Amino acid sequence: MSTLADRLGEVSTRIEKAASLANRSAEDVTLIVVTKTHPADLVVELLGLGVTNFGENKDQEASAKAKLVAELASQHNPIWHFVGQLQSNKVKSVLGYAEVLHSLDRQSLLDELNKQLSRVEHKGLQVFIELNLTDDPKRGGIDPNHLLNFAEKVLEVENLQLLGVMGVASLGGSAEADFERIATASQQLQKLAPEARFISAGMSADFEQAIEHGATHIRVGTAITGKRE
Ligand SMILES: *Cc1c(COP(=O)(O)O)cnc(C)c1O
C-alpha cells in the first residue's frame, strides 16, 4: 500500500510534468491539500512532509481541526483555505482561521464579509469569486456573464483582496471546456483588476488539465489523502 508521502510525491511529480508541458513553472502552481473528513493528525503529518496549504469545506469541522493542528504542531504555520459553500452565519467563525476563501458566490455573502471585516481590526481575507459553470442557477457561483459587475462590488470592500476566479468542472461534462471558460473569465477580470490574476481550478481527477489551462491554485484531496469515508 502506498504511503501518504508516496502519494504526495506522485502528485508533485504530476504537477511538474503538467506545468512543464504547458511551458509553465511548477512554482506558479500552489497545491492545496483538501483534508475534509480526515483528522488533524493527517494535517500534522502533511505539515511534516512540507505541505503548507490546506483546504476544508465545512466550518464546524474546519474550525475544530485548525485549532487542534495549532496545538499539535505549533512550530508550523498552516494556511487554511475555505473551499466549500459558505453560509453567511458561518462567516465570523471562518474569518477566525481561514486566510483564503475560494467560494465567494453571491452578494449576500459579500455583504456579510463586509460587515464582519469592518467590525474588528482584521488582517483581511483573500478571496476567489466562484463561477457557476452549469446552466442551473441554483448551483453556487456567479454567472460568468455577471462576473465583472460582481467583481466591482468585491473590489470596494476594505480588507478583502480579490485573487481571481474559482471553478469546479461540472460532473459528466467536459472539464476541458469548463477550464477554458474559467480562463476566459480570468482574462476579462484582469482587464478590470490586473492583480486578480489567479485561478483556483482542478481537483484529483483533472488537475493536470486545469494546469494546462492556467490554474494557479489546485485543490487536491483523494489523490493525496486517500478515499474519504
Ligand atoms: C473536496 C473538494 C476538492 C477535492 O476533491 P478531490 O476529488 O478529493 O481531489 C476540491 N475542491 C472542492 C471545492 C472540494 O469540495
Side-chain angles (χ1 to χ4, degrees), residues 5 15 17 23 32 35-37 39 71 93 100 104 109 115 127 132 134 137 145 162 178 191 201 220-221:
I15 292 170
K17 275 197 190 135
N23 285 316
I32 299 156
T35 47
K36 64 191 184 197
T37 78
E71 288 164 14
S93 170
V100 191
L104 176 51
L109 181 56
K115 186 170 135 195
V127 292
N132 182 354
T134 72
N145 294 318
L162 179 57
D178 287 337
K191 288 187 194 146
V220 180

Side-chain angles (χ1 to χ4, degrees), residues 118-222:
S118 58
R119 189 166 269 183
V120 279
E121 188 73 20
H122 197 275
K123 62 188 187 316
L125 184 73
Q126 301 183 316
V127 292
F128 288 95
I129 297 176
E130 180 173 356
L131 297 169
N132 182 354
L133 300 168
T134 72
D135 297 326
D136 183 357
K138 288 199 284 297
R139 298 289 292 272
I142 296 289
D143 178 337
N145 294 318
H146 300 153
L147 172 63
L148 295 189
N149 274 336
F150 187 62
E152 280 175 3
K153 302 207 173 92
V154 175
L155 292 167
E156 283 167 11
V157 175
E158 241 179 283
N159 290 332
L160 211 53
Q161 185 194 347
L162 179 57
L163 292 182
V165 287
M166 176 271 208
V168 179
S170 44
L171 278 178
S174 152
E176 203 76 32
D178 287 337
F179 293 140
E180 271 169 32
R181 288 178 73 196
I182 299 170
T184 304
S186 171
Q187 280 160 15
Q188 288 165 348
L189 177 62
Q190 287 178 64
K191 288 187 194 146
L192 175 73
E195 67 285 3
R197 67 181 189 280
F198 300 100
I199 297 177
S200 168
M203 320 198 330
S204 291
D206 54 23
F207 68 83
E208 282 135 322
Q209 281 167 289
I211 290 170
E212 187 188 333
H213 290 280
T216 60
H217 293 66
I218 60 172
R219 311 175 308 266
V220 180
T222 46

